[in-house]
Amino acid sequence: MSHVMNTYARLPVAFSQGQGSRLTDTEGREYLDAVSGIAVNTLGHAHPKLVAAIADQASRLIHTSNLYGVSGQEALADKLCALSGMSEVFFCNSGCEANEAAIKLARFYGHKKGIELPTVVVMEKAFHGRTLATLSATGNRKVQIGFEPLVTGFVRVPYGDLDALKAVAEHNKNIVAVLFEIIQGEGGIHLADTAYYQGVRAVCDAHDWLMMCDEVQCGMGRTGQWFGYQLAGVQPDVATLAKGLASGVPIGACLAGGKAAGLFGPGNHGSTFGGNPLACRAALTTLACMEEENLLANADRMGRLIREGVAENLRGLNGLVDIRGHGLMIGIELDRPCGALVGKALESGLLINVTGDTVVRLLPALNFSEADARELVSRLSLLIREFLTG
Ligand SMILES: *Cc1c(COP(=O)(O)O)cnc(C)c1O
């Protein structure tokens, strides 16, 4: 019997090595990886520059402490601010921690304004993590049941509904921020239109709220832009990152600008591991490779190729509801629960994911090649066709 706590319904496979977007399991079978560790392996597996940088950094320094200066952290913060339009960064180790930092920032901001019970607006179908505050912010009852009492200080509105946001603004004077995903990942790849994102920005400005984007999944080049909010031409006050930031080495970041900058001082927040030299080197190398290899453009191009290819192969097929997304964050919605497709794909040597019960989710590495993309399109189209007609 496994001594690992039973928190995941795991598929019956384990991998021993990878190369690019190919994984080999412990029995020697090969798989095409269209999940990349849930949007984590930005550079695919075993990218030679990342491997060399991590080995070199490990041979010098893995960890010191935030009691001291960390030069990689300074360089990474500079780079992230230049790309994001933000002005400062707090480093941690995961997405939920990045969101915890954002929620703490929002509360701190509220208290400074004299609001004693600061409240953050969150969205239906949102996912922000599994810690107590972030599961309370998450818009999925399944992650909350059994863990009450939930953390208070959140109000929920439907995603994409600007009137609902304006309505809570009218009657709740404790609101200090809105926290949301530009593209909802775990909820089923839901997007809103540009007017909505700009409208959220306008409501935040009108009421002096912080606009906080959870970019843990849709950030870091995934959508073909560095950050999802750049798709909509809006600049939030806070953005959180994790998943793809260091291509698999754990790291999270909470970026702040505008009214959210300069709030925290020594003692207000911290993390033992956050932004350690190894993680920062992996993140800096990931960003450098993304630039050298033009991976934003690749994500955009491969994303179009996959969405258009699947659409063409499945045109007119009964049961196909929608194909959507930006870049390499893709959802294929069917008219029925399709979790069974994951196991079928696995048997055929293909790694895909299903989220929101009825949505096939694809999150390939940002250096997914055209050959990989074409192979994914034909193999996945076949599986979906069989599933819907079989
Ligand atoms: C994965 C995810 C998180 C949680 O990240 P962890 O590293 O698992 O804590 C938070 N927000 C979004 C949008 C995510 O996709």
Side-chain angles (χ1 to χ4, degrees), residues 22-25 28-32 348-350 379:
R22 306 283 157 171
L23 278 168
T24 306
D25 73 12
R29 288 189 65 210
E30 207 185 78
Y31 300 79
L32 175 60
S348 79
L350 177 64
R379 291 172 65 180

Side-chain angles (χ1 to χ4, degrees), residues 309-310 313-314 376-386:
V310 173
N313 285 348
L314 301 185
L376 172 62
V377 166
S378 62
R379 291 172 65 180
L380 180 63
S381 301
L382 202 69
L383 283 163
I384 293 177
R385 182 175 290 280
E386 277 175 10

Side-chain angles (χ1 to χ4, degrees), residues 94-97 99 127-129 181 186 214 216-217 242-243:
S94 64
C96 60
E97 284 176 79
N99 288 330
F127 183 81
H128 298 299
E181 301 150 85
E186 300 305 306
D214 180 343
V216 169
Q217 190 162 149
K243 290 199 165 88

